[in-house]
Amino acid sequence: MYRGREGQWAFVLHRLSGLAILAYLLLHVVSISLILFGEEAYNRLHHLYDLWPFRIGLILVTAGVLYHAFNGLRIAIMDFTGKGVAIQRQLWYGVMAITILGTLATIIVVMPRVVQGV
């Protein structure tokens, strides 16, 4: 039943990236709402975002958003055109290529800050 082909991986990664984006949005809402408790509480949490685990998380969130967005376009192409299903594997490899290139660009921007501790 489960053969581990591209369609199955696309399904699993789409769900996982969606959950990661949801977790990021919840963290973002909590983070922004801390301003209600004063500037000091807000700044304390935002100071944590300069730590390396959050910077690595930024890279992962970027990868998740890129994958989720472009895989959503792949799904729309499959649903609304007659030829989408026939080329769904090629489209998925295109989604993966875009995700990897975007993630590498993010790594190039973020990693010097992680290494320097800035």
Side-chain angles (χ1 to χ4, degrees), residues 2 5-6 19 31 37 43 54-55 57 72 75 79 90 100 105 112 116 118:
Y2 294 106
R5 301 290 310 240
E6 292 87 352
L19 288 174
S31 173
F37 297 102
N43 286 334
F54 285 97
R55 302 253 174 156
I75 292 169
D79 287 346
Q90 293 86 352
I100 290 169
Q116 295 171 355
V118 178

Side-chain angles (χ1 to χ4, degrees), residues 97-108:
I98 291 170
T99 301
I100 290 169
L101 289 174
T103 304
L104 287 175
T106 305
I107 288 171
I108 290 170

Side-chain angles (χ1 to χ4, degrees), residues 24-71:
Y24 175 78
L25 287 176
L26 290 175
L27 178 65
H28 182 71
V29 168
V30 169
S31 173
I32 296 298
S33 67
L34 283 179
I35 196 69
L36 296 173
F37 297 102
E39 186 177 338
E40 185 178 328
Y42 178 83
N43 286 334
R44 276 190 188 171
L45 183 65
H46 279 256
H47 181 69
L48 292 176
Y49 294 156
D50 291 333
L51 299 175
W52 68 267
F54 285 97
R55 302 253 174 156
I56 301 296
L58 176 66
I59 294 170
L60 295 175
V61 165
T62 302
V65 168
L66 285 171
Y67 179 80
H68 199 81
F70 285 102
N71 193 51

Side-chain angles (χ1 to χ4, degrees), residues 83-101:
K83 299 178 182 176
V85 175
I87 58 170
Q88 67 95 14
R89 285 186 185 146
Q90 293 86 352
L91 290 173
W92 186 72
Y93 284 116
V95 168
M96 292 303 292
I98 291 170
T99 301
I100 290 169
L101 289 174

